[in-house]
Each structure stands twice: as C-alpha cells, then as structure tokens.
Amino acid sequence: MELHAIIEKEAPLKTTGPAVLEPETETDRPRTRNDKDRKQQREGNDSWEVRIFNDGLNTREHVARSLVQITGMSELNAYKTMMQAHQNGLAVVGQYVYEIAEMYNEALRKQGIVSDLVPVEDQ
C-alpha cells in the first residue's frame, strides 16, 4: 500500500474575517498563588464568568445548540452569544457560582468548544 502526501501551499493571511483568540493557559499566568489561595478564592468568590472562544473548528450551529442544551439559555441568546464569540473572538456565556460555572465549562469542553472560567472582580 502506497501513501502519497499532498503538500498544500499556505494561503496568504486575510485581514478580514472572524477573530480567533486563545484562552489564557496556566503557563501564561504568573504563578503568584498557591493551591490554598486558589481554593480560598474559589470559595470566597460567588461569581464566575464562563467564556467561550472562537476556535475556527466548530460550526456556529454546533456552538449555539450546545449553549442551549448545556446552559438552558434561549435559542436567541445562544445565537447572540455565539455570534459575539465569532465576531470578537470571545464571548461571556454568563456569571454563575463556581460549581455551576465549572460544570458548564466542562460540559462545553466535552462538546469541543474552547471555553474557560474566570472570577468576576468586585467593582
């Protein structure tokens, strides 16, 4: 059995189109807190944001459908959230207590959607 490789010419960069942002990873963040501090922060902060990112892999329909199924948001709000991520590279799904935010984040990731959760800063 012979395998043939196809080499495609790299397309020139586009200046238009949807933005694609990558979520911050643990290696991107400065390591100033230890595990005990993080646990206290989780327990002391009642509000966490779940965010989704435009990844260029998932269809818009898949993202909107997943938001409806996982978070229970309306189809219209799911569509608006998905479009915000598609156009801006990032969208906030909502603010929740830590346990709910973590559950939604994990469920979105299981569907292949790039998401994260961040504490909401008190203003």
Side-chain angles (χ1 to χ4, degrees), residues 64-65 67-68 72-84:
R65 188 177 342 103
L67 288 170
V68 169
M73 67 172 48
S74 70
E75 290 184 10
L76 179 61
N77 284 339
Y79 176 81
K80 288 178 180 179
T81 303
M82 172 275 301
M83 284 305 294
Q84 185 179 13

Side-chain angles (χ1 to χ4, degrees), residues 3 12 32 35 41 44 49 51-52 54 67 78-79 81 121 123:
L3 298 176
T32 57
D35 289 337
Q41 181 185 17
E49 279 184 349
R51 306 181 304 181
I52 59 171
N54 185 36
L67 288 170
Y79 176 81
T81 303
E121 301 296 324
Q123 295 182 20

Side-chain angles (χ1 to χ4, degrees), residues 25-112:
T25 63
E26 288 296 323
T27 57
D28 294 337
R29 296 182 191 137
R31 294 195 174 253
T32 57
R33 294 192 168 130
N34 61 27
D35 289 337
K36 185 177 178 182
D37 290 339
R38 285 194 194 116
K39 185 176 180 183
Q40 287 174 343
Q41 181 185 17
R42 278 199 308 260
E43 292 171 352
N45 195 336
D46 290 339
S47 193
W48 288 74
E49 279 184 349
V50 175
R51 306 181 304 181
I52 59 171
F53 296 84
N54 185 36
D55 60 13
L57 298 175
N58 292 300
T59 64
R60 290 182 275 178
E61 293 81 10
H62 171 70
V63 173
R65 188 177 342 103
S66 296
L67 288 170
V68 169
Q69 292 172 345
I70 292 167
T71 68
M73 67 172 48
S74 70
E75 290 184 10
L76 179 61
N77 284 339
Y79 176 81
K80 288 178 180 179
T81 303
M82 172 275 301
M83 284 305 294
Q84 185 179 13
H86 179 69
Q87 293 169 344
N88 303 324
L90 157 73
V92 175
V93 175
Q95 293 183 5
Y96 311 96
V97 296
Y98 180 78
E99 290 78 12
I100 301 296
E102 183 179 43
M103 179 181 68
Y104 287 166
N105 182 50
E106 288 177 12
L108 289 166
R109 287 178 167 269
K110 283 183 183 176
Q111 291 298 316

